[in-house]
Every structure is written in C-alpha cells, then in structure tokens.
Amino acid sequence: MPRTSDRGVSVDPSVVVEDVHKDFKLRHTHSIKETFVAAVKRKPLTTDFHALDGVSFSIAQGEAVALLGFNGSGKSTMLKLISGVLTPDRGAVRARGRVAGLIEVGAGFHPDLSGRENIFLNAAILGMTKRETEARFDDIVAFSEIEKFIDTEVKHYSSGMFLRLAFSVAIHTEVDVLLIDEILSVGDEPFQQKCLARIRELHGAGKTLVVVSHDLDMVSNLCERGILLREGKVVFDGDSKQAVELMRR
Ligand SMILES: Nc1ncnc2c1ncn2[C@@H]1O[C@H](COP(=O)(O)OP(=O)(O)O)[C@@H](O)[C@H]1O
Ligand SMILES: [Mg+2]
C-alpha cells in the first residue's frame, strides 16, 4: 500500500533528479578553414555551456508539476533527461514506470509513413504491443479528429495535425509519467481545451505530470507545484502560483 501525503498524493517518488549537470558545446568555428586557423592559434574551438547546472528535485507519484523559466533556462533539456532522450553529464535521473514525452512536435514520427503506420510506431516507442495498439486504434484516431488523413504520409501534415496525432497516441497509452513541452500551444482552441480536459482526467487518475507551457495561468491552475529554473539552476520549488508570481516579477 503506497503511503499518501496530506494532499492525497502518493509519496513514493515517480521522478528523482539528483544533482544533474548537462553541458552543450558551443562551436566557435563554422568552416574547415576557420577550424584550422583557430587550432594553429590555439584558440578554443568550443566552449561548454551549462544548460543544467546542479539540478535536484523529486516528484511524487500523482503530482502535477509545472516546470517554469524563461527561454533557454533548461526546461526542455530537463524533460528530455526525464524521458531518456538525453543522458546527464553528471548526476542521475530516475523515472518509475512508463514515461511518455510530448516533447517535440513530430518526434517519434516517420515522415514517409502514414498516420496509421505512425500510430503503431509511436505506440511501440511508448512501450505498447501491437495488440494493445490495435485495441485502442479507433479511439486514438477519433480523439485526433484526423480520420480523413489517417492514410496520408505525415510529411504532408501541418504541425497542428502532428500534435493531434502525437497527443492522442500518448494519452491512450498506459503511461505513468506524462511530460508535456509547450505543445498545447500548437493546436487550435477547441482541441487545446479537449487536451486539457484529458490531462486533468489523467491527473485525477493518479498519473504524474510534468508540464511546460507559455500559458502561465493555465499551468498554475493545472499544477499544484512549480519548479522555477533560471540559467540551468532551480531558484524556486513550491506552490505553482507563487512560482509564477516570482517569474513575473
Ligand atoms: N542540442 C543542443 N546543442 C546546443 N545547445 C543546446 C542544445 N539544446 C539546448 N541547448 C541550449 O541549452 C539552453 C537550454 O535550452 P532549453 O532546455 O531548450 O531551454 P528552454 O526549454 O527552457 O527554453 C539554451 O541556451 C539552448 O540554446
Ligand atoms: Mg523549451
């Protein structure tokens, strides 16, 4: 029996991030000639840029957390580390159960395959068997509202259509942790509302959510907790409304 906190969420951690560091190399040269000249002059060819600089937090099962911060503060990098798309240079990231990341529109989709084929591909990436996917196929297509284009190659899809399909697959899989990066801003208003309602349902069903969005009022309503990043460091971790206040100041 998992223990529960006073807010009714399980206190068994779902995601644990321990002193995570992630550097990216910034190149200073753009051609072979420049590289050669820089090497001869013994100038550095790259510098390390600290995208994440000693980040630690733990998310309990069933918590909804808003990851906040200005552009370039490290939010997407953090989500990619949780989903396993990236690995940390230092520190550790652990996530329990199936993690579904809606991280980049179109990630996990193959342009030359149809929407139908991509549903199976994407679901497999999320850990579903062919049979499980077949059983949910109709629901996935119905939620996406792109029935007419389901046999069209996805390279002809708009970003909004991508979003619909990717979102629909993710929410019909047996996920434990759902990561959402910005993508809610891609769709049109009615679809956004439908997604939001579904995300609330998943949260109600005890799924763990980590959400990044420009819509600060939406995320602070959806999520009880906010983690504010600034230049790759956690500067606040607590009530989401307070986190948003701090960010706006
Ligand atoms: N693959 C990459 N190569 C080099 N720099 C990167 C890469 N990904 C992210 N960065 C840099 O790391 C910083 C943090 O990026 P990101 O996590 O995308 O921030 P956010 O999502 O908060 O806007 C930014 O300065 C960005 O330019
Ligand atoms: Mg980002």
Side-chain angles (χ1 to χ4, degrees), residues 22-26 49-52 68-78 80 86 181-182 212 229:
K22 185 73 192 174
D23 291 348
F24 290 114
K25 295 224 179 296
L26 299 179
F49 172 81
H50 307 298
L52 291 173
L68 302 160
F70 294 117
N71 285 340
S73 57
K75 305 181 297 294
S76 296
T77 304
M78 192 64 250
K80 285 176 186 163
L86 292 177
D181 194 351
E182 300 286 1
V212 173
L229 292 176

Side-chain angles (χ1 to χ4, degrees), residues 121-183:
L121 173 67
N122 218 240
I125 291 171
L126 295 174
M128 296 230 298
T129 64
K130 187 156 178 268
R131 190 172 294 183
E132 282 177 305
T133 311
E134 273 163 357
R136 289 168 206 200
F137 186 82
D138 291 344
D139 289 341
I140 293 173
V141 177
F143 188 95
S144 74
E145 299 170 19
I146 55 162
E147 288 96 337
K148 266 187 5 206
F149 306 98
I150 203 65
D151 290 307
T152 305
E153 294 171 358
V154 302
K155 64 183 168 204
H156 303 301
Y157 281 19
S158 66
S159 54
M161 288 162 72
F162 256 131
L163 163 81
R164 283 164 176 267
L165 204 56
F167 190 86
S168 190
V169 176
I171 59 169
H172 286 90
T173 51
E174 291 291 327
V175 297
D176 301 295
V177 182
L178 186 61
L179 312 171
I180 302 167
D181 194 351
E182 300 286 1
I183 63 146

